Amino acid sequence: MTTLTFVFLILASPVRDGSAWSITPMPSMAVCEQVLADVRSHGGWADDFPAVPDGAHCKEVKQ
């Protein structure tokens, strides 16, 4: 049986009346960590996340 590995960049931030999520597939953990570092260094991720949310992390899922 082959193990499949998926990596996702997850940004989760509380907003008024709930929370906002962005889940983005990444090709590897190294790329994900670099993208997350870039997001942190620039202070945000597009209009939905003007600041880096506390819930920002890379997640590896094996199936």
Side-chain angles (χ1 to χ4, degrees), residues 29-39 58:
M29 187 61 88
V31 170
C32 187
E33 290 171 350
Q34 181 59 55
V35 170
L36 183 53
D38 289 347
V39 169
C58 293

Side-chain angles (χ1 to χ4, degrees), residues 15-58:
V15 294
R16 186 179 52 136
D17 299 330
S19 61
W21 288 78
S22 172
I23 301 173
T24 307
M26 293 282 146
S28 68
M29 187 61 88
V31 170
C32 187
E33 290 171 350
Q34 181 59 55
V35 170
L36 183 53
D38 289 347
V39 169
R40 286 186 171 136
S41 73
H42 290 95
W45 175 271
D47 293 335
D48 293 335
F49 296 96
V52 180
D54 293 336
H57 63 281
C58 293

